[in-house]
Each structure stands twice: as structure tokens, then as C-alpha cells.
């Protein structure tokens, strides 16, 4: 019963997240595609969407986590689902074991959604993760030439 209102309520939020992800795409990529003669459709499908996809998936992950919380809260007012189970049996009938089980299931479900979303973002991200390095090089002392003495000043 609560799915339709939750879907309608989340649509503007998801649209704003997608818009933000699309705005984060570097304008130089779009200009480069235009200079090579790409049509608007090609720019959208081959430049904007692939570059913005990690941000879009991260936004969808946030939306799904929020919807999980909202659906659990909808159960408190009779919307059904795990929230209803936790309120009806755990809280109103004073069965803390059931309420604790519902909370653990919700935490596990949210963590599974978040982990899966993060995994997808890592898979489709164009940037490779870089280890923390000093001076942005392979080795902290790589700027020194081979066999060059290290001079210390005081």
C-alpha cells in the first residue's frame, strides 16, 4: 500500500541526483565530442551517461537506502512490511526479541544495498584507485636522480 506514495515521493529526489551527476561531467569532454562532429544523441549516450554513471549509481544507492528506511517507517502507520511487524509484535506486544530481529534484518538489508551499490560504482568507475603517495610519484624519493647524494641543510 505504501509503495506508490514512496515511489512518487522519491522521483524528484532521484531526478535531482541524476541531474547533479550529469552536471559533474567535465565540459571539455562534451566540447571535444562536439568538435569531432558528434550529434546530441551521441553526446548524451556515449559521453554524458558513461561519464556520469558512477554518480548516478551512487545516487540510486542512496535513494534505495532512504526508501528502505521510509518503508520501515510506513509500517508504523499501517503500511505493512517489516516496520509493521516490528511495531505490531515487537513494540505493542512487548516482545523485544522480535523488535530486535526486525532491526537487525533492516540493518543487514541496508548494509547489503549500500555494499552492492558501492561495488557497482567501483566496477563502472573510470578512475583507478590510487594509493596514497607522497609527491604523487611512485616512490617518495623518485625525484632524486640515481646515485645523487642527499644533501641536508640545517
Amino acid at each position: 500500500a505504501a509503495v506508490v506514495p514512496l515511489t512518487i515521493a522519491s522521483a524528484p529526489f532521484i531526478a535531482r541526483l541524476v541531474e547533479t551527476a550529469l552536471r559533474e561531467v567535465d565540459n571539455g569532454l562534451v566540447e571535444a565530442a562536439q568538435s569531432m562532429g558528434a550529434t546530441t544523441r551521441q553526446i548524451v549516450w556515449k559521453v554524458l551517461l558513461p561519464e556520469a554513471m558512477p554518480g548516478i549509481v551512487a545516487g540510486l544507492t542512496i535513494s534505495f537506502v532512504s526508501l528502505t528506511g521510509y518503508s520501515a517507517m510506513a509500517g508504523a502507520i499501517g503500511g505493512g512490511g517489516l516496520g509493521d511487524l516490528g511495531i505490531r509484535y515487537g513494540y505493542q506486544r512487548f516482545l523485544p526479541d522480535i523488535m530486535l530481529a526486525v532491526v537487525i534484518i533492516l540493518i543487514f538489508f541496508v548494509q547489503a544495498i549500500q555494499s552492492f551499490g558501492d561495488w557497482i560504482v567501483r566496477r563502472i568507475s573510470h578512475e583507478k584507485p590510487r594509493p596514497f603517495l607522497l609527491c604523487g610519484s611512485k616512490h617518495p624519493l623518485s625525484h632524486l636522480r640515481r646515485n645523487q647524494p642527499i644533501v641536508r641543510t640545517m
Side-chain angles (χ1 to χ4, degrees):
V3 173
V4 175
L6 286 175
T7 304
I8 292 171
S10 67
F13 182 65
I14 292 172
R16 179 65 71 176
L17 290 171
V18 170
E19 178 191 13
T20 303
L22 289 172
R23 285 184 185 214
E24 292 294 319
V25 175
D26 187 19
N27 287 337
L29 292 172
V30 176
E31 290 174 5
Q34 287 174 339
S35 68
M36 288 188 274
T39 64
T40 304
R41 177 176 284 170
Q42 289 173 329
I43 291 172
V44 169
W45 288 101
K46 297 190 180 199
V47 177
L48 284 175
L49 284 177
E51 290 294 320
M53 195 57 68
I56 292 171
V57 171
L60 287 174
T61 301
I62 292 170
S63 299
F64 287 143
V65 168
S66 297
L67 283 174
T68 302
Y70 295 155
S71 67
M73 287 185 279
I77 58 170
L82 281 175
D84 184 44
L85 179 74
I87 291 293
R88 200 177 283 184
Y89 292 101
Y91 183 71
Q92 292 176 351
R93 293 188 184 178
F94 303 109
L95 297 172
D97 296 340
I98 292 179
M99 192 169 12
L100 181 65
V102 167
V103 169
I104 289 173
I105 289 170
L106 285 171
I107 289 172
F108 176 76
F109 189 64
V110 165
Q111 188 61 42
I113 292 171
Q114 187 67 47
S115 298
F116 184 66
D118 291 343
W119 177 77
I120 291 174
V121 168
R122 281 193 308 271
R123 296 275 297 170
I124 63 175
S125 182
H126 298 293
E127 295 179 11
K128 292 186 178 183
R130 290 176 272 171
F132 175 73
L133 296 174
L134 298 174
C135 304
S137 61
K138 293 181 181 177
H139 189 273
L141 299 177
S142 65
H143 63 281
L144 299 175
R145 288 187 225 149
R146 194 173 248 181
N147 298 328
Q148 180 181 2
I150 298 175
V151 179
R152 295 186 181 159
T153 59
M154 293 196 187

